[in-house]
Amino acid sequence: MNGIFEKARGMQFPRNVLIGHGILKEIVPLCDELNFLSNGMIIAGKNTYASAGKEIDDCLSDSGYNIFTHLTGTATVANVDKAIEMAKETHSKFILAVGGGSKIDIGKLVAADLHIPFISIPTSAAHDGIASNRASLKADMGPKSINAVTPMAVLADTEVISSAPFRYLASGCADVISNLTALKDWDYAHKLRNEPFSSSAYSLSLHSANTIMDNASLIKPDLEESSWIAMRPIIISGIAMAVAGSSRPTSGSEHMFSHALDVMGVSKAMHGEQCGVGTIIMMYLHGGDWQSIRNALGMIGAPVDAKGLGISDDDVIEALVTAHKIRKDRFTILGDNGLTRESARRAATITGVIGKE
């Protein structure tokens, strides 16, 4: 052999993942086990502090921890900067991110900036970023996905999560189902562009999506067991990103469609809802079983068409023909030049995402 093998890379995973009914009280032994120092900061919103943050605050404060609370809004640069300054002022040595996607994203970014650990404590399950090292920042040109830090632990109380509007859980399930086209795009890019590929990350992501698909009929409103069924694949989907070192196993052309809608500013639908509808169309373009995806989404209660997203047929077409511009570094079924307006309309019509003319 002429050369020396020099490949090296690291992977970060949550050390502890706790899922179940009424397990918020496990926060004290969890922090003890992780050897957290006394000063910590809760990052939450007003509602998420009421639903879970206060109980966590009380449990830790009663056990000798000095806990500071920072109430914040969406994941913007300004809000992240404010949270970083608050953590510095309070000499916080760990972060507890309590809430949905934006609060957890802010927690990731604060922890990454200050090089301190954080625990992800979801109060809803609207997308698969709960356990990943990726954070989404809101920007003028739509959400921006960036590397942050993987949570040291995840504490997911199904009692709390099931009390959130069911729409959040349905959106999270749709986001995981969208792995099916993200993986096809990844395999496509690997074969055509020799893009780096991880079979382990691929398998984890596929397992997550298939678990949601196989259990779609069991995911229903007002049923805590639905949160129990969904949370494991949602978390594993996030871990797949950690294995891959990128969002590739969970984000492809269907996410580009969703981000195109964000940039257009026409949709008030949730991220996972938009990705789910995008998955139907992208699976059709891949020549796969888009009907099963549509059926599963409908069974769960997630949108399957433009009407369900609250947008017009023309909005769908516009998003489809501009989606390839969202991430020029990510090769997908959309190719380098995107879809023509005619092919976009045909795909959206055949799959029932828009109505027939």
Side-chain angles (χ1 to χ4, degrees):
M1 295 179 63
N2 296 325
I4 298 174
F5 186 78
E6 296 178 335
K7 283 187 177 181
R9 65 180 297 264
M11 290 181 283
Q12 290 183 331
F13 305 103
R15 276 180 53 181
N16 300 70
V17 176
L18 304 178
I19 308 172
H21 174 86
I23 62 170
L24 286 183
K25 61 182 179 294
E26 297 298 321
I27 189 64
V28 174
L30 179 58
C31 289
D32 290 346
E33 183 180 344
L34 295 173
N35 296 315
F36 282 177
L37 300 176
S38 61
N39 283 15
M41 188 171 82
I42 291 174
I43 293 176
K46 181 180 178 181
N47 293 333
T48 60
Y49 182 79
S51 64
K54 188 178 187 308
E55 182 177 344
I56 289 169
D57 192 346
D58 291 344
C59 286
L60 286 169
S61 297
D62 291 345
S63 299
Y65 285 89
N66 297 320
I67 302 299
F68 306 91
T69 298
H70 178 68
L71 300 182
T72 188
T74 56
T76 62
V77 171
N79 283 338
V80 170
D81 288 343
K82 288 178 184 177
I84 290 172
E85 287 308 308
M86 179 61 71
K88 288 180 179 178
E89 289 175 13
T90 57
H91 304 287
S92 294
K93 302 303 181 185
F94 63 91
I95 299 294
L96 305 173
V98 182
S102 62
K103 309 307 179 289
I104 291 174
D105 284 340
I106 291 174
K108 290 177 188 177
L109 292 165
V110 173
D113 186 85
L114 300 180
H115 305 289
I116 58 177
F118 93 101
I119 296 178
S120 174
I121 307 171
T123 56
S124 63
H127 64 72
D128 61 2
I130 291 167
S132 79
N133 63 344
R134 306 290 297 181
S136 180
L137 269 180
K138 291 190 179 298
D140 293 338
M141 294 302 292
K144 181 181 179 182
S145 179
I146 57 178
N147 271 322
V149 65
T150 302
M152 185 166 282
V154 179
L155 184 66
D157 192 316
T158 54
E159 183 179 17
V160 173
I161 292 167
S162 63
S163 67
F166 179 72
R167 180 185 178 189
Y168 288 88
L169 186 65
S171 175
C173 290
D175 196 19
V176 175
I177 287 174
S178 78
N179 292 3
L180 294 172
T181 47
L183 291 172
K184 284 189 174 293
D185 284 331
W186 194 16
D187 184 53
Y188 188 52
H190 175 59
K191 290 174 178 175
L192 271 65
R193 299 288 177 90
N194 197 32
E195 184 173 313
F197 186 82
S198 166
S199 57
S200 299
Y202 185 100
S203 298
L204 286 170
S205 178
L206 182 61
H207 169 73
S208 298
N210 285 338
T211 299
I212 298 292
M213 291 284 289
D214 293 343
N215 290 280
S217 63
L218 302 177
I219 301 172
K220 300 176 181 179
D222 305 316
L223 188 65
E224 186 176 343
E225 188 175 356
S226 296
S227 297
W228 169 258
I229 292 169
M231 282 309 301
R232 288 179 64 195
I234 287 174
I235 289 172
I236 292 171
S237 183
I239 292 173
M241 292 186 241
V243 173
S246 77
S247 61
R248 246 314 188 177
T250 65
S251 175
S253 51
E254 72 298 319
H255 273 62
M256 293 159 69
F257 167 77
S258 174
H259 293 323
L261 289 174
D262 294 334
V263 172
M264 291 163 59
V266 296
S267 174
K268 293 184 179 179
M270 302 181 75
H271 167 77
E273 294 174 331
Q274 294 175 172
C275 290
V277 172
T279 301
I280 297 171
I281 298 172
M282 302 310 165
M283 186 59 80
Y284 165 78
L285 294 177
H286 274 290
D289 185 5
W290 59 268
Q291 294 96 334
S292 292
I293 291 172
R294 198 179 201 279
N295 291 340
L297 290 170
M299 203 177 298
I300 290 169
V304 296
D305 53 25
K307 183 178 180 181
L309 293 178
I311 60 177
S312 70
D313 289 358
D314 287 341
D315 291 334
V316 170
I317 303 306
E318 185 64 24
L320 285 172
V321 299
T322 59
H324 69 287
K325 300 177 182 178
I326 296 296
R327 289 199 63 168
K328 293 186 179 295
D329 62 322
R330 182 152 291 184
F331 187 67
T332 70
I333 191 66
L334 299 174
D336 293 323
N337 299 317
L339 302 179
T340 64
R341 201 162 291 273
E342 292 75 18
S343 61
R345 185 172 295 278
R346 181 171 63 252
T349 302
I350 289 174
T351 56
V353 171
I354 67 172
K356 295 182 179 180
E357 294 184 326

